Amino acid sequence: MTEDTAAPAGGGVPWHLWLVGVLSLLWNGFGAYDFIMTTTQGEAYMRASGFDDAMIAYYMDMPTWMWGPWILGVWGAVAGSILLLMRNRLAVWAFGLSLLGAVISLIYGKFMNPPPFSEEMAAMGFMPWVITAIAVFLAWYAWTMSKKGVLR
């Protein structure tokens, strides 16, 4: 444990907690915005985001059971970000649920039913990996801060 990652004597908070908390809230806030817009505006939002007909059909035909992992991933991450900024140890559980949702979504979208990416959207194929990697980092970070006594 180095001094720059430990909580300062007297119960202070390491500077990086605020940085990680704010950046995670911005990242996960966009995920929540995307979830809300996709579920309320549907095809119009997806078309405005540059999705072609095949991608829109893919998302519109998503099996009902996939809503569970999507909801866990998005809203667990938002709750985790808020709880992290509140220095609440429940952030560990919230980010854990978010990670579970991200992993299930990754498995579904990469191995069970890959989306039909066009040439223009092929670069988006890496996003599930990025989302899962960020979820792993946030769960680890919250767990580490909890173990160091930064989260109460």
Side-chain angles (χ1 to χ4, degrees):
M1 174 162 60
T2 61
E3 288 183 30
D4 63 329
T5 59
V13 180
W15 63 269
H16 48 79
L17 180 115
W18 305 117
L19 178 65
V20 171
V22 168
L23 290 177
S24 74
L25 187 57
L26 290 171
W27 169 260
N28 295 317
F30 176 76
Y33 168 79
D34 184 63
F35 177 88
I36 290 168
M37 292 303 290
T38 301
T39 57
T40 61
Q41 302 294 315
E43 182 179 341
Y45 171 70
M46 288 186 249
R47 200 164 297 286
S49 297
F51 284 30
D52 60 17
D53 290 338
M55 283 298 285
I56 292 169
Y58 173 82
Y59 280 103
M60 299 302 271
D61 293 337
M62 182 175 65
T64 305
W65 67 267
M66 272 303 296
W67 281 84
W70 191 15
I71 290 167
L72 275 179
V74 170
W75 299 107
V78 170
S81 298
I82 293 167
L83 290 165
L84 185 67
L85 288 168
M86 294 172 62
R87 296 181 50 207
N88 188 309
R89 68 178 179 267
L90 293 176
V92 176
W93 289 100
F95 282 132
L97 289 173
S98 174
L99 176 57
L100 177 64
V103 168
I104 293 169
S105 295
L106 174 73
I107 291 168
Y108 175 78
K110 287 294 178 185
F111 305 107
M112 294 172 64
N113 187 18
F117 289 118
S118 64
E119 283 188 30
E120 296 83 25
M121 296 207 57
M124 293 301 295
F126 72 92
M127 281 308 290
W129 295 105
V130 170
I131 291 166
T132 303
I134 291 171
V136 166
F137 169 75
L138 291 172
W140 168 83
Y141 183 81
W143 178 79
T144 301
M145 290 297 101
S146 180
K147 290 293 179 195
K148 291 182 179 186
V150 176
L151 305 182
R152 309 180 287 272

